[in-house]
Amino acid sequence: TTTTTTTNVVSKISWMDGVKRRRAFSDAWIAFLRLPNFPEDVYRKILARLHLDVIPHHVNPVLLCDFCVSSVNVGGLIGMLALHALFVLVTRHNLEYPKFYDRLYNLINEDSFYANGRRTFFELADVFLKSPALPGYCAAAFCKKFGRLSLSAPPAGAMLCVSFIHNLMRRHPKSCLPLIHRDRDVVGGGGGVNIDNAEEDNTAAERDENVMKRKSSNNTTHRRSFDEDPYDFSTKDPAKSRALESSLWEMTALENHYFPQVTKLVQMLRMDLGDRVKTKEIDISGGGAEAQHSLCSANYYSLLKEELDVRLKSVALKHGTIGDLGLFHSDEFVSAAGFGELIQWKEEEEEDFGR
């Protein structure tokens, strides 16, 4: 009886030992993650709960870094979920991973707007881009990449890209605002000279000559800088994309977009985004009751339904025309196109048929 009681007490004590339980938990997860070829649904469930249920209770969470890095290489939603786990390791467990935003930059591409898990994908991207650790050159590179992707994205994707650009400009005004407010000297590479600071001892003729030379030099540089966009869309390194030398001309192109909501969002960029009091960030992910209206989950059906539910203040009840506006009923058009004989022949045929 004494031996049995001692054994039960020892087992209870070992089970109540939190250090041993955490060690067993950590060893079990390390052994489980070493298994090869997870099914895709299992893979997503693991990565979706890794930062919530595994990392906080792991003895040494940094050991999960290799699994997360290899998962990022898969790409798509799996890569974004793995980046979320890496983001937690970097911000809370002092993991050094300097290529974090490089990997995020490469995960965002044309296929991201058509993926089934695009809502989770872009919600996580919004979380990562809110971090104060985002460098200025990376913010400008993301602005340019979203701008370039917006040209070929569906309407919901274009709205999402414009929203990301709007928020990045508000968070990083010093790095991103020059992309839409760029002087000629800055566009040409920073070699401009202020004309108002000419030397006082110059004669009037020399000063006028210098002014003309500088103006011609600036104009030449300005034309050369806009012959082609210096931004390199194909590069995988945002530091080498030359985004800071470019401009967001894509926003001007989107002002003529066929979907009106895209045009409205682009017009918001013309506001003074440097004043944080006047402008606020666009809620990309949504929350609570607005989760179903999230930009991340918008599609053709939701956008069409939203347009049909809009209540119009004034509706045209009558359609009137002034004169004959038909394309082929103009005498000048008929004579210019040389269709007079054909039309005359057809009219004669109709008369014969009537008889």
Side-chain angles (χ1 to χ4, degrees), residues 2 96 128 172 181 202 239:
T2 305
E96 294 185 2
F128 302 150
H172 304 271
H181 301 297
N202 285 345

Side-chain angles (χ1 to χ4, degrees), residues 119 285-295 297-298 302:
R119 177 177 177 177
S285 59
E290 297 181 355
Q292 58 181 351
H293 302 292
S294 170
L295 282 174
S297 58
S302 62

Side-chain angles (χ1 to χ4, degrees), residues 169 173 177 271-277 279:
M169 285 187 173
L177 283 181
M271 299 172 60
D272 185 11
L273 298 178
D275 192 348
R276 290 174 172 265
V277 178
T279 59

Side-chain angles (χ1 to χ4, degrees), residues 23 26-27 30 33-34 58-68 89 95:
R23 174 63 63 182
S26 303
D27 293 341
I30 291 295
L33 295 179
R34 287 175 178 172
H58 204 281
V59 175
N60 188 8
V62 180
L63 295 177
L64 302 173
C65 174
D66 294 337
F67 172 76
C68 295
L89 293 176
L95 175 67

Side-chain angles (χ1 to χ4, degrees), residues 246-265:
S246 181
S247 63
L248 281 173
W249 57 267
E250 295 89 352
M251 297 299 99
T252 303
L254 289 180
E255 288 182 351
N256 299 320
H257 200 278
Y258 66 90
F259 190 67
Q261 293 295 334
V262 177
T263 305
K264 292 180 180 178
L265 285 177

